[in-house]
Amino acid sequence: MMKKFAKVAIAAAITGLSIAAQASLLVDDFSTGQAELVDNTANGSGFSNTQNGSGILGGNRDLYVEKTSGSLAVKLSVEDAAPGFLAYSQDTLTTGYGIVRWDGSNSTNAFGATDRASFDAGRDFAGGLNEDLTGAGNAFRITVIDADLNFPFSLRVYSDATHWSEFIGVAFAGAGDYIINYFGFVAAGSEGGADFSSVDVLEAIFNTPNGTQSADFALDIVQVVPEPESLALVGLGLLGLAATRRRKSVK
Ligand SMILES: [Ca+2]
Ligand SMILES: [Ca+2]
Ligand SMILES: [Ca+2]
């Protein structure tokens, strides 16, 4: 099932072809597992850990989870059993959120921040991914294996601490393949938006803001892909040109 946030629906028809034909960049296939984090208490703090391994852009992944309401547990982990997936769960009538960060370094967050501010302060811009995302594509592709309820999420792209951009959207219940074009991001840094050709930190924040109570979900893979919207527009232009030529040749 293909669900799109992009505005030009006609592009969806050729998405599969173009992704297959062109290179993509793996952000995380979640084939390297990561120990489960469990927050049982809504007390303004959470838990984090960090993991080095293969199948992770930059070789390092940080996780943070925080429970915000309810009486039961909020859990975040990466399960290396096939197909390798990020697993987020909240027990009944409980709400929280989870963060996955790719910043290419194990340095700052190695000891496990227990509050959001400290976790955020652990973004490693000095080490960083040092990645040109424009070379690999123009969209993120997030594959959701399953979700029992709709849940909000955001993606953040950082060039440095003061230049970053954010996409805010909703993933729907069930399985879904989400294509998020760079043009869907808005500048959010204090000095402006991210330069997608010079990216040091990526973050995905799940179930915030206004998280869904009791939502559970699993993600298979996060990639950067060449989303073919511009190709579709070029294609439509060529069709228009062909039609014009045909009319002229008929005369
Ligand atoms: Ca807590
Ligand atoms: Ca890190
Ligand atoms: Ca996977």
Side-chain angles (χ1 to χ4, degrees):
M1 177 174 11
M2 177 68 72
K3 292 166 181 162
K4 285 181 56 68
F5 290 105
K7 288 124 189 152
V8 185
I10 196 162
I14 63 169
T15 296
L17 283 174
S18 295
I19 287 171
Q22 297 181 40
S24 62
L25 176 70
L26 179 66
V27 176
D28 205 329
D29 63 8
F30 303 111
S31 59
T32 293
Q34 189 157 347
E36 183 179 65
L37 296 166
V38 181
D39 192 351
N40 286 296
T41 314
N43 59 352
S45 63
F47 297 95
S48 71
N49 61 11
T50 187
Q51 180 71 50
N52 290 331
S54 60
I56 304 171
L57 183 64
N60 175 250
R61 178 207 300 129
D62 304 322
L63 298 181
Y64 178 82
V65 72
E66 182 176 334
K67 173 174 156 176
T68 53
S69 71
S71 55
L72 300 173
V74 179
K75 302 168 188 167
L76 180 65
S77 66
V78 176
E79 305 297 327
D80 59 8
F85 59 97
L86 178 81
Y88 178 92
S89 74
Q90 302 163 130
D91 291 334
T92 306
L93 301 181
T94 297
T95 309
Y97 66 96
I99 304 176
V100 186
R101 178 169 67 207
W102 299 272
D103 64 358
S105 169
N106 210 23
S107 58
T108 316
N109 191 239
F111 306 107
T114 54
D115 63 273
R116 177 69 183 278
S118 298
F119 182 76
D120 287 352
R123 294 184 187 111
D124 193 331
F125 298 110
L129 299 172
N130 198 24
E131 196 72 46
D132 177 2
L133 294 186
T134 64
N138 60 354
F140 291 91
R141 182 185 194 185
I142 299 178
T143 304
V144 176
I145 300 171
D146 192 28
D148 62 349
L149 296 167
N150 297 356
F151 64 92
F153 71 96
S154 69
L155 278 182
R156 293 179 173 185
V157 176
Y158 290 82
S159 290
D160 58 45
T162 58
H163 294 86
W164 58 280
S165 298
E166 184 169 38
F167 171 87
I168 297 174
V170 174
F172 301 106
D177 217 357
Y178 297 91
I179 304 289
I180 301 159
N181 197 293
Y182 296 166
F183 67 58
F185 285 72
V186 297
S190 60
E191 295 180 19
D195 174 358
F196 280 67
S197 71
S198 177
V199 173
D200 276 334
V201 176
L202 292 175
E203 282 184 6
I205 306 176
F206 297 105
N207 212 36
T208 190
N210 306 315
T212 307
Q213 193 178 61
S214 311
D216 302 328
F217 50 86
L219 268 63
D220 181 20
I221 190 167
V222 178
Q223 299 166 276
V224 167
V225 298
E227 202 270 343
E229 201 131 56
S230 54
L231 285 179
L233 293 175
V234 169
L236 286 173
L238 291 175
L239 282 175
L241 191 60
T244 304
R245 282 196 179 143
R246 188 165 296 170
R247 265 200 302 275
K248 277 182 179 166
S249 64
V250 167
K251 280 181 187 171

